[in-house]
Amino acid sequence: MAAVPAPLVDNPTVEHATEVQSSGTESLEALTGKPVPEAAVEVAWRRDEAEAARRAQFRLYLGAAPGVGKTFAMLGEGRRRHSRGTDVVVGIVETYGRPKTQEALLGLEVLPPRRVEYRGSAFDELDAGALVARKPEVALIDELAHTNVPGSRRAKRWEDVIDVLAAGIAVISTVNVQHLESVNDVVANITGVRQQETVPDWVVDLADDLEIVDISPTALRRRMLHGNIYPDARKAELALERYFTMDNLTALRELALMRVANQVDDSLLARWSKDATPETRERVLVCVAYPTFTEDLVRRGARIAQRARGDLLVLHVRRPEERSPADWLEQVRTLTEALGGGFEVVEADSAVEGVLAYAYRQHVTQLVVGEPLRSKWSELVRGSFVNRLIRRAANIDVHVIARRVR
């Protein structure tokens, strides 16, 4: 288990800043002109540590896309609490020059941001150390998925939020559905635009209150046309053509509504079955093997587990003499933990026997495997892992996920 993150300190320094991420695939951030640096420090917080350390309430506004009104809703809630005598401080907010958002800040105390120099430019980041020292009752912290500029103590803003919660300060924050790690591949598939900044699903699960900020696709596009989301007309036009299409916005809205519905169902289920045993709870096991399409497979398994309100497990079986690449194993582990699951590696002479032995020990109810990569002739000669697994798996449902043509 990773060490518990150290307490907040002021004036953090990083010796080596890394390059800005680049890819041949267009990202939403690049489309809207927002540079995303690669964090210079590793993510420190893990789910079990965050759950144990949290000492205050966490409220999260979820939207289907930029511009739906999440920040405005967050500030509105802050103003309501402030009017009732609650000590509220704006930790950081991104107004993007939107007049209504700027007006909503009036009357609220705004914490000065921490200026970080990076490659000759100055960036405003949340000053989590100053916020903890100020110790308000409630902190408003915008854009949960934000990547901190190199020179920051934490890699991601959601880690700063956990630091603040651990200090006993309630947090109200915002996030878009496309930032959720479990739907990263789905969003890229739907929109044709990649999402660079993501949030582990377990961070969203930490929220005591998850509220969707909803608006119809037609109304959102109208906001875009009027310059209420991106004041730069060129950016607005490009975004309308490439990302804010009716089909894309409709699909993203459905994803957001589904995520909130699942959260509500989880809460009800937890009340009704607090002592649920493995036999009465769905347990989804994803089988991964190097070097197949692991990320898509794990995310698909996570979505199945979410919809079934069950647990996610990821397993890699290798022969005793085999050694899987350490960097690949770490990538699988990191993604699995971000999705709220557990990853294990077991050794077995037979992959099928290894999977089934583990599945029965862990009371697995559903198996997720990838479509065989071998040719039909090779499967006839050598046999198919998937076919053998289906034949041998008693009382376990097996999902065979088709390969995505890239």
Side-chain angles (χ1 to χ4, degrees), residues 143-267:
E143 295 199 352
L144 192 67
H146 173 81
T147 301
N148 291 333
V149 172
S152 303
R153 180 174 182 268
R154 295 298 192 202
K156 304 285 289 186
R157 187 168 291 166
W158 61 260
E159 292 195 278
D160 292 325
V161 165
I162 295 175
D163 285 335
V164 175
L165 291 169
I169 301 168
V171 173
I172 304 176
S173 189
T174 66
V175 72
N176 282 326
V177 70
Q178 74 264 18
H179 291 294
L180 303 188
E181 185 65 60
S182 64
V183 297
N184 185 265
D185 58 329
V186 174
V187 172
N189 219 23
I190 291 171
T191 65
V193 180
R194 184 172 50 87
Q195 182 68 58
Q196 255 180 288
E197 295 183 306
T198 58
V199 175
D201 285 60
W202 64 260
V203 176
V204 177
D205 292 337
L206 281 180
D208 300 283
D209 298 301
L210 180 64
E211 183 174 330
I212 190 168
V213 181
D214 191 29
I215 185 173
S216 72
T218 301
L220 184 56
R221 282 177 58 84
R222 191 180 301 121
R223 280 187 185 178
M224 180 73 73
L225 286 168
H226 292 164
N228 295 331
I229 299 176
Y230 299 120
D232 185 329
R234 188 178 61 82
K235 285 183 187 176
E237 183 180 355
L238 186 61
L240 281 168
E241 292 176 356
R242 301 295 303 278
Y243 189 80
F244 288 77
T245 67
M246 285 295 294
D247 287 346
N248 286 356
L249 293 176
T250 299
L252 291 169
R253 188 187 190 198
E254 289 177 0
L255 283 176
L257 290 168
M258 193 183 306
R259 187 63 175 79
V260 173
N262 286 343
Q263 191 97 343
V264 172
D265 287 345
D266 285 344
S267 299

Side-chain angles (χ1 to χ4, degrees), residues 17 44 78-80 83 92 95 105 119 137 167 196 202 211 227 277 300 338 402:
R79 288 171 67 89
R80 281 191 291 275
S83 69
I92 196 161
T95 67
L105 280 167
R119 298 192 172 182
E137 293 176 78
Q196 255 180 288
W202 64 260
E211 183 174 330
T277 61
R300 177 65 71 87

Side-chain angles (χ1 to χ4, degrees), residues 370-406:
E371 180 185 0
L373 296 177
R374 291 177 176 174
S375 67
K376 294 295 183 183
W377 173 251
S378 179
E379 286 187 31
L380 286 171
V381 173
R382 301 181 184 179
S384 165
F385 163 78
V386 172
N387 289 338
R388 291 198 300 271
L389 185 65
I390 292 172
R391 284 198 299 269
R392 295 288 308 280
N395 301 317
I396 300 178
D397 296 332
V398 180
H399 304 267
V400 182
I401 307 303
R403 282 178 288 166
R404 195 183 308 284
V405 178
R406 299 189 184 281

Side-chain angles (χ1 to χ4, degrees), residues 23-103:
S23 171
T25 307
E26 184 177 47
S27 69
L28 178 59
E29 293 82 1
L31 183 66
T32 56
K34 179 187 176 185
V36 178
E38 184 176 345
V41 292
E42 294 294 322
V43 169
W45 280 108
R46 296 292 183 264
R47 180 174 191 159
D48 55 347
E49 296 158 359
E51 290 175 341
R54 188 177 69 143
R55 295 172 47 223
Q57 293 286 302
F58 180 29
R59 183 181 184 90
L60 188 59
Y61 287 102
L62 174 71
V68 297
K70 303 178 306 300
T71 301
F72 190 78
M74 177 188 73
L75 293 174
E77 178 64 19
R79 288 171 67 89
R80 281 191 291 275
R81 297 194 187 195
H82 175 69
S83 69
R84 295 195 297 265
T86 303
D87 183 15
V88 177
V89 169
V90 177
I92 196 161
V93 65
E94 307 289 353
T95 67
Y96 297 108
R98 298 167 188 166
K100 290 186 178 180
T101 306
Q102 292 172 331
E103 289 174 13

